[in-house]
Amino acid sequence: GPATAEVFAEISARVEAADSPAGSGRHSTSRAVLVRSPDTAQMLQEVLVAWRTGRTAVVLTPEAGDDVAAAAIRQEGIQEGITA
């Protein structure tokens, strides 16, 4: 349906933006990105952007506690913000 097409277009735009040279300055030393969002489409977008830029997506459910997030951040060496 039209909603699927809109989501696809938005994902494509985000992936292209992440792939452009303008975004190259924001890479951290970690190759992992923590993704935690109550919105499934948003979570999928974050995962696809991470993969497109050669990074690992560490996906947590919205129900995962901050202790779980903190453990994932330590384990993966993640140095950037959490998608909420």
Side-chain angles (χ1 to χ4, degrees), residues 18-45:
D19 208 26
S20 70
S24 61
R26 46 184 219 121
H27 291 302
S28 68
T29 55
S30 172
R31 292 186 52 81
V33 178
L34 187 65
V35 179
R36 179 167 64 166
S37 172
D39 185 303
T40 304
Q42 173 74 25
M43 193 179 296
L44 179 59
Q45 288 175 27

Side-chain angles (χ1 to χ4, degrees), residues 5-18:
E6 286 175 23
V7 169
F8 183 77
E10 191 175 335
I11 290 172
S12 297
R14 288 175 60 97
V15 167
E16 286 180 27

